[in-house]
Amino acid sequence: MRSVLAITITFLAFQAARADTTKNPLGPWYMQDYDEKRWRVEAAVGYEVAPTYPGSDETETGPDGFLRIVLKDAWNNRYTINPLGVSGAFDLTDDLALLVQVEHEAGGDGESADFEGLDEIEDTIDGQFTLSYRWGDAYIRAALQPDLLGRGKGLVWFAGGGYDYQNDRFGFRTYLGLTGGDDTHMDTEFDITEEESERTDLRVYDPSGGLKNFEFQCQLEYELNDHWSLYGVTDVEQYLGNAADSPLIKDIGSDFTVEAFVGVLFRW
C-alpha cells in the first residue's frame, strides 16, 4: 500500500532569497532563486557529528558533504538532482508552494552493535509531498512521506514552521516541528518482537502510530564571495510518546539527540 503518492501541507521551507531575487523564493532554501541562472551546481564538504543511528546514545564523527544540481524552468519551477534522489518545487501562488521528492532511504543493516539480534530493515524509496506557506520571513509547512515500495517504512508525517533571515552575505534559517508515523512505521522503527527479545534480552514492545519526535533545526551561512560560503547546520531531536518508550530509545539509546555539520559550500 505504501505505493500511494500523498500530498503535503508545508508552509514553506527556507526563504534565503538574496536582495536581487526577482521571483518568488519558495521551496527548500537550496532551491530558491539566487539569480536568473537556469541551473547551478552546489557542493559542500565538511565535518559531521551524528548519532550512530536515529535515537542512538552514541555518536560518530567524520568528513561528510553533499552534491546537487539545481535547475529552473521558464515558469520558475525548481528541480534538484542529487546522488540519492530528485525533487521539484512548484509555486502554486505567490505564497504557496508544493514540493515533490523521491529519494532512496537506507534501512537498518547492523551499522551499530545495538542492532545485533534485530531484524534488518530493508532499503526503500520514499516519496515526500510538502505544502508550504509563507508570510514574509516566516513560514509553515506540512508533509507526508510514504514508502513507495512498501518495504515496511510506512507513512510518516511532518508539520512545523520557522523563520528565515537573509542579507547580502549572511543567512539564518530555522525550522521547528513535529514528526509522527502510522502503525507500520512505528513498528518498523521501534518495536521488539518476541523473537528479537529472546535474541537481545530487550523487552517485547509493540508501539502504535502517533507522535515520533520534536525537531529544531538551525542553518547558518556566510558568503565569502559569489561562489564560496561558510556553512553550518544543527539538528536537535527529542523523541516523544511511543517512540521514547521503546527499548531501543529508553534502554539502549537516548530520547535526545544532536546532529551537526560545519564546512564550506560552493556554488557555480
Side-chain angles (χ1 to χ4, degrees):
M1 171 228 158
R2 291 332 182 242
S3 311
V4 135
L5 290 185
I7 298 183
T8 341
I9 305 180
T10 263
F11 287 92
L12 180 77
F14 304 122
Q15 180 202 18
R18 301 183 178 178
D20 62 352
T21 297
T22 58
K23 296 184 178 179
N24 183 25
L26 292 185
W29 68 273
Y30 55 83
M31 295 174 71
Q32 294 162 13
D33 302 305
Y34 292 96
D35 50 43
E36 290 302 309
K37 288 182 64 174
R38 292 299 180 191
W39 63 273
R40 68 179 180 270
V41 176
E42 296 185 343
V45 292
Y47 193 79
E48 183 183 49
V49 179
T52 55
Y53 65 87
S56 174
D57 61 353
E58 300 177 351
T59 59
E60 55 186 2
T61 61
D64 197 13
F66 58 79
L67 172 67
R68 56 181 167 244
I69 299 172
V70 184
L71 308 171
K72 186 168 64 173
D73 65 23
W75 298 275
N76 198 40
N77 301 312
R78 283 86 62 205
Y79 311 91
T80 64
I81 304 169
N82 64 65
L84 294 179
V86 296
S87 61
F90 311 94
D91 297 339
L92 305 180
T93 70
D94 285 347
D95 300 306
L96 181 67
L98 170 68
L99 173 69
V100 179
Q101 180 173 314
V102 178
E103 189 170 63
H104 174 265
E105 173 78 10
D109 56 2
E111 65 270 25
S112 168
D114 290 333
F115 279 102
E116 292 182 5
L118 300 180
D119 295 337
E120 181 175 338
I121 300 173
E122 291 187 84
D123 291 4
T124 191
I125 301 295
D126 282 343
Q128 183 159 318
F129 306 88
T130 304
L131 282 175
S132 64
Y133 189 85
R134 175 172 292 280
W135 295 276
D137 293 329
Y139 69 93
I140 56 174
R141 73 184 185 195
L144 293 177
Q145 186 182 80
D147 175 358
L148 300 181
L149 300 183
R151 292 181 175 175
K153 176 74 181 295
L155 179 67
V156 186
W157 57 261
F158 308 86
Y163 175 84
D164 305 328
Y165 170 80
Q166 181 80 31
N167 61 26
D168 288 342
R169 290 198 174 276
F170 178 71
F172 174 72
R173 314 172 186 112
T174 63
Y175 171 73
L176 183 68
L178 293 170
T179 302
D182 66 1
D183 288 351
T184 300
H185 178 73
M186 298 295 279
D187 277 346
T188 300
E189 294 272 316
F190 301 109
D191 83 329
I192 301 293
T193 65
E194 291 186 5
E195 293 79 8
E196 290 174 321
S197 179
E198 292 174 359
R199 296 194 296 262
T200 63
D201 292 329
L202 295 172
R203 59 189 167 88
V204 175
Y205 186 69
D206 184 18
S208 58
L211 282 178
K212 177 180 176 181
N213 66 272
F214 161 90
E215 178 184 12
F216 175 72
Q217 185 181 98
C218 179
Q219 300 181 39
L220 297 173
E221 182 180 353
Y222 182 76
E223 297 179 20
L224 302 173
N225 54 45
D226 289 343
H227 298 291
W228 292 95
S229 298
L230 300 178
Y231 173 74
V233 58
T234 299
D235 198 319
V236 176
E237 292 188 345
Q238 174 70 54
Y239 286 89
L240 305 168
N242 289 330
D245 289 337
S246 169
L248 293 173
I249 302 295
K250 195 169 188 177
D251 298 343
I252 62 173
S254 173
D255 63 2
F256 181 83
T257 63
V258 178
E259 182 174 350
F261 171 86
V262 61
V264 293
L265 177 65
F266 175 75
R267 291 189 181 93
W268 182 69

